[in-house]
Amino acid sequence: MIDMKEKMYRFMQGRYGNDNLNRFLMVATIVLWVISMFTTPILYSLGLIGLILVYFRMLSKNIYKRAAENRAYLKYENRVKAFWNQRKTHHIYKCPSCKQKIRVPKGKGKIEITCPKCRHTFIKKS
């Protein structure tokens, strides 16, 4: 007799399964459901749509399409992570003259910054 674990394994063969995008969608669904307990019930419906999307992606047999969706999500996630990691190690100032963004490392004290675009100099604390 085949046990339950073997039945699940056979059922999931050829299906996409779980990935980073599904995990993000599950967390977003749970957050929406928790918030919906204190606010409008429309958030519960949005969470339900998210849960349906998770199961659709997990049980899908179109593996290449789901993998492409996950790659696009990971690309966006990596950009967001890089932005936040940069904010931990650098300040970003705007040149008062031309409004060019200038990235300066944190922890250097008061420094004189020269804008690479217009060559205007100004002093800021890093």
Side-chain angles (χ1 to χ4, degrees):
M1 182 164 192
I2 300 175
D3 64 337
M4 195 62 168
K5 187 175 180 180
E6 182 68 25
K7 284 183 183 180
M8 182 59 84
Y9 177 75
R10 286 187 180 175
F11 175 73
M12 288 302 291
Q13 277 184 330
R15 298 183 189 273
Y16 185 65
N18 207 3
D19 63 2
N20 291 4
L21 178 55
N22 272 1
R23 284 189 282 277
F24 171 76
L25 288 172
M26 277 302 296
V27 170
T29 297
I30 292 169
V31 167
L32 285 172
W33 282 346
V34 169
I35 293 172
S36 75
M37 289 190 295
F38 305 108
T39 62
T40 179
I42 190 95
L43 295 178
Y44 181 82
S45 300
L46 290 174
L48 190 60
I49 291 170
L51 184 65
I52 291 168
L53 183 61
V54 166
Y55 278 107
F56 170 76
R57 292 188 78 253
M58 191 181 303
L59 299 176
S60 174
K61 290 190 175 189
N62 191 349
I63 293 172
Y64 299 108
K65 181 77 171 174
R66 303 294 85 83
E69 292 167 354
N70 190 50
R71 275 193 304 274
Y73 165 75
L74 288 175
K75 184 178 174 184
Y76 179 74
E77 181 184 87
N78 288 336
R79 284 194 322 201
V80 170
K81 283 182 180 179
F83 173 77
W84 284 111
N85 287 339
Q86 173 184 316
R87 300 295 279 181
K88 290 179 187 176
T89 59
H90 291 81
H91 282 291
I92 298 177
Y93 294 113
K94 283 189 178 181
C95 173
S97 177
C98 68
K99 307 300 183 208
Q100 170 74 31
K101 288 184 180 179
I102 304 167
R103 190 175 77 140
V104 179
K106 285 186 177 181
K108 302 293 182 187
K110 276 192 171 182
I111 57 173
E112 183 178 13
I113 302 169
T114 303
C115 176
K117 187 175 179 183
C118 69
R119 298 291 178 210
H120 178 74
T121 59
F122 56 99
I123 297 176
K124 290 284 188 176
K125 182 180 175 192
S126 71

